[in-house]
Amino acid sequence: MNNRENSNNENRTSKDEQLEEFRVHNDGKKMTTNQGLTVSEDEHSLKVGDRGPTLMEDFHFREKMTHFDHERIPERIVHARGFGAHGYFQVYESMKEYTRAKFLQDPSVQTPVFVRFSTVAGSRGSADTVRDVRGFATKFYTEEGNYDLVGNNMPVFFIQDAMKFPDFIHAVKPEPHNEIPQAQSAHDTFWDFVANNTESAHMVMWAMSDRSLPRSLRMMEGFGVHTFRFINEVGEAHFVKFHWKPTLGTHSLVWDETQKLAGKDPDFNRRDLWDAIDTGNYPEFELGIQIIKEDEEFNFDFDILDPTKLWPEELIPVRIIGKMTLNRNTDNFFAETEQIAFHPGHVVPGIDFTNDPLLQGRLFSYTDTQLSRLGGPNFHEIPINRPIVPVHNNQRDGMHRMTINPGQVSYHKNGIANNSPRPVPADQGGYEHYTEKVEGRKVRQRSESFKDHYSQAALFWNSMSDVEKQHIVSAFQFELGKVQSKEIRQNVVDMFANVDGDLAIRISDGLGTIPPEAKGSASTQSSPALSIMNTIHTPVTRKVAVLVGDGYQDEALTSVLQTLMEAGVQAEIVSPKLGYVTSDGVNRLEVKHSLLGADSVLFDAVLVAGGRQSVDNLLTEPKVIDFVKEAYQHFKPIGAIGEGAELLPKTEGPGIVTSEMNGDIQSFGKSLLEAITAHRHWSRTV
Ligand code: HDE
């Protein structure tokens, strides 16, 4: 091998390797039209002379252009921006006692899944880090057909009846006259809806909380929202709520960070998910269930059919029953993430619905929307939507039919085909609906038991730490500050006075509204499980920007990086220039980001290397000072070795670790790791 080849190989990144794989895969394949005709030329349209008009007979040009002209399908009405991955689910122990669903019986069985995470309000091309609810939709490809758990990262919803969904979505989406604002709820129509539809109070509290700013799609909870039913082998039913709990804990960004990220990296969350899977840091979520017996339906001070209510975990514990691991990125975004079609009505034997009026409406909407989005009734034949079990029925034809059904029979009952395909009784695996007894008059009404709109909004508020409360107040102030109508602002402040007087007075402060009279709180209860301060904290996959310049002090940095990397921290070298940065000894480090392309909002923590020359070198980029300062303002851990401390806005305080403060470099590494494990240092004065 000559020298040039040698250095080329050394410079290869895993991206280069992927490109090479792609090259090998396609190598030698001849180009054809969609009819299989071999193409001899693909860069020029067919013309009369090289300066003349293009000919109609140029079928190759027309095919290529026609396909291009139709390469988009309508984006989803809601949840348009999404990102998905493949994985598998495994139950920890048999759930036989509660459900006959086969994928919840055998801990040795891995059920393939595809998950699509999404934001709700924005268009397909909007930024990831906007303040919004996140969709968390999972398709389980089970041996009994597809089961879809189409949930969100918040356990309640804005409305109680599906009839109001079009109104709510019209209000939250960009305003119709000017299509402003994109992917935000900070505008008049959303808040006017809120003030006029008080059932939204609880969900608005969640939307204004840190839950709507996830640090990572790998670090947010998921909820089925509605109450479903589990049915066991003997036909016995239990009410069930579903939870996904991320093994990395539930973590959020801070508001200022999210807004900057929307510009610096609009793909922040999807890139994070892709990279985690790509590097083998597979995201994991444990499945939890809350169970209520059928005869306990009326034992609570909320209606279990009301989707604006959660079941406090302290009252009805969450039992962890299995784990989902996402271990494969998509091969093609459009074919998989864009074309996947979820539907809460895709169920398997052992899982059934309740009369939650929001769920009932969803059972209509999801198939209906796919008809226009995916262009006809055969969307179940698109590869990502196909069950892993065979499909047999008498449905035929329609747009984009893929299956070629042979034979003359397409009806049931028939004699010619021995009456097949034939239905199968429930005790042999056929789906049977729970034979719930229902009676009543036909009315357009809502149950009296759905009338309490404020207690759980107050429960949520009461459960927050002081830091989270302050974030909620600031979120309301920011959002309402963007509302043009003073009347709407006042109406919202007045409405939230019914939740908690202190909350409303604090929101009102700075908005120019009349502060309401303190009315106390709608609830004295709290649920500690709702505060994300009580979540798991781990250093695993926390991303640290390591600021290094030429001449850095090698020994100390190598030791600290080793401590961090052994704990699962991802350290990435940031330096004035790409390529390699050289130490004061023989070592050098590969630079992942130039300072120009990096910003502290892209990282969870900052470490500044030591060495006089390194620090002077870093200071050739004035941006470096802002880099560290911004991390400080976002409460992030900051470490500095030796002279590196000169770049810090403060050399002591919560989450600030310098080698000066620590006797030896090992204990510095350990203290920095502890600071990183704590994630944010809220007691810092910024
Ligand atoms: Fe959805 N919702 N929704 N929704 N929803 C859609 O279906 C709808 C609701 C949720 O990644 C649409 O295929 C109605 C609650 C997710 O592909 C549409 C109502 C929850 C996704 C639709 C609700 C959700 C959707 C748009 C009130 C949490 C994205 C495209 C009755 C439990 C799925 C599509 C994906 C998508 C209707 C309320 C979650 C229009 C009518 C509550 C995660 O059919």
Side-chain angles (χ1 to χ4, degrees), residues 258-416:
T258 63
Q259 294 177 84
K260 289 175 175 154
L261 274 169
K264 301 279 184 193
D265 186 3
D267 305 305
F268 183 73
N269 285 146
R270 55 165 66 179
R271 190 189 304 286
D272 167 273
L273 188 74
W274 177 277
D275 287 349
I277 295 175
D278 209 33
T279 52
N281 290 299
Y282 300 141
E284 292 175 334
F285 299 87
E286 288 192 305
L287 183 65
I289 53 168
Q290 285 174 297
I291 294 274
I292 290 180
K293 289 189 181 147
E294 279 278 308
D295 61 8
E296 291 173 356
E297 180 174 358
F298 302 106
N299 286 6
F300 305 94
D301 62 3
F302 51 86
D303 191 327
I304 65 164
L305 299 187
D306 176 356
T308 66
K309 303 293 187 303
L310 52 84
W311 301 356
E313 292 186 30
E314 293 75 13
L315 196 63
I316 304 152
V318 176
R319 177 167 164 193
I320 300 297
I321 65 163
K323 191 169 77 181
M324 172 166 76
T325 307
L326 300 181
N327 63 354
R328 183 159 63 89
N329 278 318
T330 53
D331 289 316
N332 184 282
F333 178 88
F334 180 86
E336 299 173 275
T337 309
E338 191 61 6
Q339 292 202 112
I340 196 161
F342 291 96
H343 179 20
H346 293 162
V347 285
V348 288
I351 300 182
D352 209 324
F353 316 115
T354 61
N355 297 327
D356 169 346
L358 197 67
L359 173 60
Q360 292 285 322
R362 291 180 76 198
L363 295 176
F364 164 75
S365 175
Y366 286 68
T367 309
D368 187 44
T369 204
Q370 312 306 348
L371 294 178
S372 51
R373 198 170 71 78
L374 298 170
N378 287 315
F379 56 86
H380 59 281
E381 295 191 331
I382 296 172
I384 194 70
N385 294 323
R386 282 184 207 151
I388 54 169
V389 287
V391 172
H392 303 290
N393 57 42
N394 292 307
Q395 292 167 30
R396 297 288 184 272
D397 309 347
M399 287 274 197
H400 317 303
R401 184 70 174 178
M402 306 287 155
T403 311
I404 301 175
N405 298 101
Q408 66 195 114
V409 183
S410 56
Y411 54 92
H412 170 254
K413 298 168 176 178
N414 68 69
I416 304 177

